[in-house]
Amino acid sequence: MPQLLDADATTRRRLALAGLAGNIGIVITGGAVRLTGSGLGCPTWPKCTEDSYTATEAMGVNGAIEFGNRLLTFVLSAIAIALVVAVWRHARLRRPAVILALGIPGQGVVGGITVLTDLNPYVVGLHFLLSAAMIGGSYLLWQRTVRRPAVTGAATRLRPLTWALTAASAAVVVIGVVVTGSGPHAGDEKAHRTGLNPEMISQLHVDAVFLMLGLAVACWFAARAVTAAPMVRASAILLGVLLAQGAIGFVQYFTHLPALLVGAHMAGACAVWVATLAVVWATGFDDAPEAGGSASSLTSDETNRTLVTVR
């Protein structure tokens, strides 16, 4: 019986990780839609055309790309439903799993509004920010299924510093969305832009990045000072990801935003956000016994079933 319980825990972890990967994948494929000019490949919603729910051959590659992105929502929904079923007996996992499952159709509705508003840049930006929230929730849920090393009391005292880091990371993402709304790659050549000065917004974005970089360095030094090894590792990974993302950002800016680099920068934004959350979790945030397969993490119902089976 313990082996079966471990297998159940493994299933939960894998489904949670698949949900996290799927939410990141939606961002990347959504970026591909925008960068290939396929934002209105399906010109209406919820149908792809007035007469069809699917893309037609006459709509060409743009229709196929946009419709393909819509189909991924169903894949993500299937993972979310399976995850809800797998964690239903675990109260600490059930609530975030249900919220995330409900968030998927909600995100789909926002995606539909972006089409119906002809890719309004503010709605497009909201679509991305909701994806960032979904990624954050998915990461929380995944971490709750993973056994983590013990966190020292000294590391917990660094939590305010990591919250400042998280705020800076969120600011970087939000300002980056505004930069995107003021620049090219609107998803369709006729789509409107915000009208804001791209250079001014880009400078503000860079300033936020440098603030975040300074806080990441501070987290690394502070973690080393209190010998908080998990936070040292998480901070080092964040610094590496942040530096790589910064390099991509500078190169894309000075090469006039080639689509491939813009796509890499979008993927990098997801990586920076997840790496930021990893630093927060390294301080023991949200730490509590969880269903990772250990006897102490079992619900009372599972414990009773185990005793009955052993007898």
Side-chain angles (χ1 to χ4, degrees):
M1 188 61 181
Q3 290 78 8
L4 292 177
L5 292 175
D6 286 344
D8 290 342
T10 299
T11 298
R12 290 190 292 271
R13 283 194 290 270
R14 288 176 176 174
L15 284 171
L17 183 58
L20 174 60
N23 278 292
I24 294 174
I26 284 289
V27 171
I28 295 172
T29 58
V33 170
R34 183 168 61 84
L35 295 170
T36 57
S38 303
L40 295 177
C42 288
T44 188
W45 187 89
K47 291 184 176 181
C48 192
T49 70
E50 293 294 338
D51 303 317
S52 175
Y53 281 97
T54 62
T56 63
E57 186 175 350
M59 299 170 69
V61 65
N62 287 341
I65 292 173
E66 164 65 2
F67 183 67
N69 185 59
R70 293 188 183 189
L71 286 179
L72 285 178
T73 300
F74 293 98
V75 175
L76 194 56
S77 296
I79 294 172
I81 293 171
L83 182 55
V84 168
V85 173
V87 306
W88 190 255
R89 292 184 177 274
H90 303 267
R92 192 162 174 266
L93 299 178
R94 182 171 60 243
R95 180 176 295 181
V98 170
I99 292 174
L100 287 168
L102 294 175
I104 294 171
Q107 180 74 314
V109 170
V110 175
I113 294 173
T114 65
V115 173
L116 297 177
T117 57
D118 296 325
L119 307 182
N120 181 292
Y122 295 103
V123 182
V124 173
L126 175 62
H127 197 38
F128 182 89
L129 293 178
L130 287 175
S131 290
M134 292 287 287
I135 290 170
S138 298
Y139 184 81
L140 178 147
L141 181 56
W142 175 63
Q143 281 286 8
R144 286 184 175 184
T145 68
V146 175
R147 288 181 181 175
R148 290 189 288 167
V151 176
T152 64
T156 64
R157 294 197 294 270
L158 299 180
R159 203 170 293 157
L161 178 60
T162 67
W163 283 124
L165 173 71
T166 304
S169 183
V172 168
V173 172
V174 171
I175 299 171
V177 167
V178 178
V179 172
T180 298
S182 64
H185 304 301
D188 187 86
E189 59 183 14
K190 297 180 181 179
H192 295 291
R193 302 279 76 199
T194 63
L196 298 175
N197 187 320
E199 292 186 2
M200 180 189 71
I201 301 300
S202 296
Q203 183 59 56
L204 183 61
H205 182 59
V206 171
D207 293 341
V209 169
F210 278 118
L211 173 62
M212 183 183 175
L213 181 61
L215 287 168
V217 171
C219 285
W220 185 78
F221 275 112
R224 283 179 59 86
V226 300
T227 320
M231 186 174 169
V232 171
R233 288 192 296 270
S235 299
I237 292 172
L238 173 61
L239 282 170
V241 173
L242 192 55
L243 290 173
Q245 173 75 334
I248 294 172
F250 276 110
V251 172
Q252 73 165 3
Y253 182 81
F254 290 109
T255 55
H256 307 292
L257 304 175
L260 187 60
L261 283 181
V262 174
H265 201 56
M266 290 185 67
C270 296
V272 169
W273 182 232
V274 170
T276 300
L277 297 177
V279 176
V280 178
W281 256 262
T283 65
F285 167 76
D286 194 52
D287 218 357
E290 224 316 291
S294 62
S296 62
S297 67
L298 301 180
T299 64
S300 58
D301 288 343
E302 285 179 317
T303 304
N304 292 336
R305 289 198 304 273
T306 303
L307 291 174
V308 171
T309 301
V310 171
R311 290 170 184 168

